[in-house]
Amino acid sequence: MAWMIVHAEGNFRRPRSIYSFNFKPSPEPQERPRDVVDYAVAKGLATEVPSPTREQAKAIRQRRNRAK
């Protein structure tokens, strides 16, 4: 999995798959599969960032879950 900061909303669909990945703008890093991050960066929709430490990733996920 790779991390990115999304600047504009986008959607990625894998070939021959019924699943798609939607990503929305956020100042916080988002974790997505490598092919989704590569697509978003190539289209200029996101900036790739280094993976956070385990503690930082846990804190990001907890904040996201509390916001729901």
Side-chain angles (χ1 to χ4, degrees):
M1 297 291 256
W3 291 78
M4 65 181 171
I5 295 179
V6 179
H7 308 295
E9 186 173 354
N11 191 48
F12 174 76
R13 183 168 175 246
R14 289 180 174 149
R16 297 181 304 278
S17 175
I18 61 171
Y19 300 108
S20 67
F21 297 89
N22 189 24
F23 42 89
K24 297 186 186 236
S26 172
E28 289 195 5
Q30 299 177 30
E31 184 179 25
R32 297 286 189 272
R34 167 58 56 197
D35 55 346
V36 176
V37 173
D38 289 343
Y39 169 81
V41 170
K43 293 290 184 179
L45 303 173
T47 304
E48 187 172 359
V49 294
S51 298
T53 64
R54 178 175 278 176
E55 293 79 24
Q56 291 170 333
K58 185 177 179 182
I60 290 169
R61 288 184 190 110
Q62 285 177 343
R63 279 188 299 233
R64 193 177 323 132
N65 289 340
R66 279 192 208 129
K68 289 182 181 179

